[in-house]
Amino acid sequence: MAVVGLGYIGLPTAAVMASAGWNVCGVDVSEKVVETVNAGGVHIEERDLDRLVREATESGRLTASTEVPTAHFYMIAVPTPLTGENTPDISYVEAAARAIAPRILPGACVIVESTSPVGTTERVAQIIAEMRPDLTVPVYGSQQGGDIALAYCPERVLPGKIVRELVQNDRVIGGITPACAERAVALYSSFVEGDCLTTNARVAETVKLVENSFRDVNIAFANELSVIADDLGVDVWDVIALANRHPRVNVLQPGPGVGGHCIAVDPWFLVSGSPKAARLIRTAREVNDFKANYTERRVRGLLDAVPGGKVALLGLAFKPDIDDFRESPALEIALSLAKTRGQRIMVVEPFAEELPQGFAGTGAELVTLDHALQSAEIVVVLVDHTAFKHLLPADLAGKLVFDTRGMLKK
Ligand code: SAJ
């Protein structure tokens, strides 16, 4: 079993499969990552991952290499970033396919897990077919088998709960042909407790994009409501809590914008695949991005209202109780404020030992919650970390408070 890409998805998946009894070789272009994993360590923070990787390497079932080995199953879990024009860049998936092609033997199965634009699994099949004319590679839409199998099986795990969800979630497995899907099920059913649901590769690729777009659109609705509520002078948290008492209404929670590597990115894959039709999905992205600018503008307004006063920004992570600052609106807002009002900015982030590099020279400082409460005239909740939830009204007495997460209402 070979897992190409030892990142947030590849490494936990490799370790979970090793603990289920597979001999797994994790492949990564980074020698540092390979060395770390071979030494039983992890280069990413995720609950239970350090223990799982240590046990898997100690048992000898998990090794890492910069070279793709010959294997029965290949799993591709590499990044699929956005280009500057919000179109998907699948060059890492293509590079993985090119690295697998020379090593693959008849009977093997290649599974793409990376979030991908529709048609990517067919592109992987095409690359292997071009590089290996000696193999019969199955073709999408055909019922005929081939020497190898190709399938798409998107990851669906929630950062912070990856190890548990890898095992418990249902999986959607889309084959280039029905036989390819069945071959991939043989792998997933060995370590997944959820159901393995089969379909074709294009449907499975679309399903992944739909899941994250669904969430983005629903969060956009909540974020738009929060701006409307400000205009109307009503409390958005009261509105949502009461509306959600209707049996068929479930409004999500507004925040300072949407972050992370998935929800703020994947909807663009659908938009770029169908630019004219994907109007609501595009607008949701715009609404969620706008919410970060709006939040920053409101904080600037508070700073103007208290000349010389200090603001405590609570949280930098992209969501609560996680040390992941990637694509975080809280970080983006804090950085932008620090660049112009650095001397007046205090950041409280229990998951950071120091402020990220961009803050250097701005004058902004990382402080404890207690220190911030003693010295700040303005308090802005950007992330509802559990560590902030014991804040009492008395702690905030006399301060201007802007709670972008509704934490103080819950
Ligand atoms: N957020 C809100 N309001 C809410 C819920 C979330 O503002 O009511 C914000 C969060 O603060 C965060 C962002 O949305 O900034 C995304 O957080 P999230 O917890 O909704 O999702 P992710 O990005 O951590 O993980 C998502 C999950 N997808 C869905 O829930 C449909 C996960 O299952 C996917 O595997 C993951 O994307 C992925 O890798 O694609």
Side-chain angles (χ1 to χ4, degrees):
M1 170 76 231
V3 177
V4 183
L6 289 177
Y8 276 83
I9 299 302
L11 182 57
T13 309
V16 164
M17 289 190 297
S19 69
W22 289 88
N23 283 321
V24 183
C25 176
V27 181
D28 204 282
V29 288
S30 159
E31 279 179 22
K32 192 147 179 272
V33 167
V34 167
E35 266 170 37
T36 306
V37 173
N38 278 331
V42 291
H43 60 290
I44 48 181
E45 282 289 324
E46 176 61 38
R47 192 178 302 160
D48 295 335
L49 185 62
D50 47 354
R51 176 189 52 82
L52 207 63
V53 170
R54 196 177 55 247
E55 287 170 6
T57 49
E58 276 170 9
S59 72
R61 289 216 170 85
L62 174 63
T63 54
S65 170
T66 52
E67 300 292 324
V68 173
T70 289
H72 292 102
F73 286 95
Y74 294 93
M75 189 179 279
I76 300 178
V78 295
T80 42
L82 277 180
T83 66
E85 283 81 48
N86 288 332
T87 56
D89 168 7
I90 62 162
S91 57
Y92 297 108
V93 175
E94 292 175 327
R98 284 191 200 98
I100 291 168
R103 308 307 302 261
I104 195 165
L105 294 178
C109 176
V110 180
I111 299 158
V112 181
E113 281 219 5
S114 309
T115 302
S116 298
V118 177
T120 301
T121 314
E122 288 152 77
R123 174 75 188 124
V124 169
Q126 184 194 16
I127 288 171
I128 296 175
E130 282 167 11
M131 290 179 69
R132 291 293 300 274
D134 57 312
L135 292 175
T136 310
V137 176
V139 175
Y140 178 81
S142 148
Q143 294 297 312
Q144 289 193 336
D147 291 331
I148 61 169
L150 288 122
Y152 182 74
C153 179
E155 62 83 9
R156 314 168 104 181
V157 289
L158 197 70
K161 294 185 183 166
I162 291 181
V163 173
R164 178 150 52 97
E165 290 204 356
L166 262 177
V167 174
Q168 290 179 349
N169 289 1
D170 292 344
R171 299 302 294 251
V172 176
I173 300 173
I176 284 276
T177 66
C180 291
E182 290 310 325
R183 182 94 176 90
V185 168
L187 171 67
Y188 285 97
S189 58
S190 71
F191 67 94
V192 168
E193 287 169 9
D195 293 337
C196 292
L197 310 159
T198 55
T199 180
N200 68 53
R202 281 191 207 175
V203 168
E205 287 161 345
T206 312
V207 165
K208 170 67 191 181
L209 304 180
V210 164
E211 290 167 358
N212 282 353
S213 301
F214 173 85
R215 198 151 167 84
D216 198 44
V217 167
N218 281 281
I219 299 169
F221 181 79
N223 276 333
E224 184 163 296
L225 270 189
S226 69
V227 179
I228 293 173
D230 283 351
D231 274 353
L232 300 179
V234 294
D235 184 312
V236 70
W237 313 104
D238 289 345
V239 170
I240 291 175
L242 293 170
N244 282 350
R245 298 297 290 267
H246 183 288
R248 284 173 296 282
V249 173
N250 184 15
V251 180
L252 294 183
Q253 299 299 299
V258 168
H261 251 34
C262 311
I263 302 221
V265 173
D266 303 353
W268 287 118
F269 288 26
L270 276 184
V271 173
S272 74
S274 188
K276 287 218 173 88
R279 293 189 298 166
L280 178 63
I281 296 170
R282 179 201 297 274
T283 303
R285 272 287 71 246
E286 288 165 358
V287 167
N288 284 332
D289 283 347
F290 164 78
K291 187 66 199 292
N293 303 335
Y294 173 84
T295 303
E296 183 189 331
R297 240 184 303 129
R298 283 212 39 201
V299 180
R300 287 190 189 280
L302 295 175
L303 283 162
D304 291 344
V306 187
K310 289 208 162 197
V311 60
L313 301 176
L314 306 192
L316 292 179
F318 88 84
K319 65 179 189 175
D321 298 334
I322 192 158
D323 73 339
D324 192 340
F325 304 154
R326 297 178 303 167
E327 315 284 334
S328 169
L331 175 66
E332 188 192 310
I333 292 163
L335 253 179
S336 176
L337 290 167
K339 281 184 184 144
T340 52
R341 317 274 178 104
Q343 303 296 335
R344 297 173 66 189
I345 309 285
M346 288 182 288
V347 176
V348 184
E349 177 45 87
F351 288 91
E353 276 160 21
E354 53 188 28
L355 284 178
Q357 260 185 354
F359 288 90
T362 60
E365 43 175 358
L366 182 68
V367 301
T368 62
L369 183 58
D370 284 347
H371 178 98
L373 292 174
Q374 275 160 24
S375 354
E377 284 83 6
I378 307 163
V379 174
V380 178
V381 180
L382 292 174
V383 187
D384 42 345
H385 285 313
T386 303
F388 301 149
K389 289 191 177 158
H390 63 267
L391 270 177
L392 299 170
D395 296 324
L396 301 167
K399 301 184 192 304
L400 286 181
V401 177
F402 177 22
D403 178 6
T404 69
R405 298 275 186 174
M407 180 183 84
L408 304 164
K409 295 283 288 195
K410 289 174 197 160

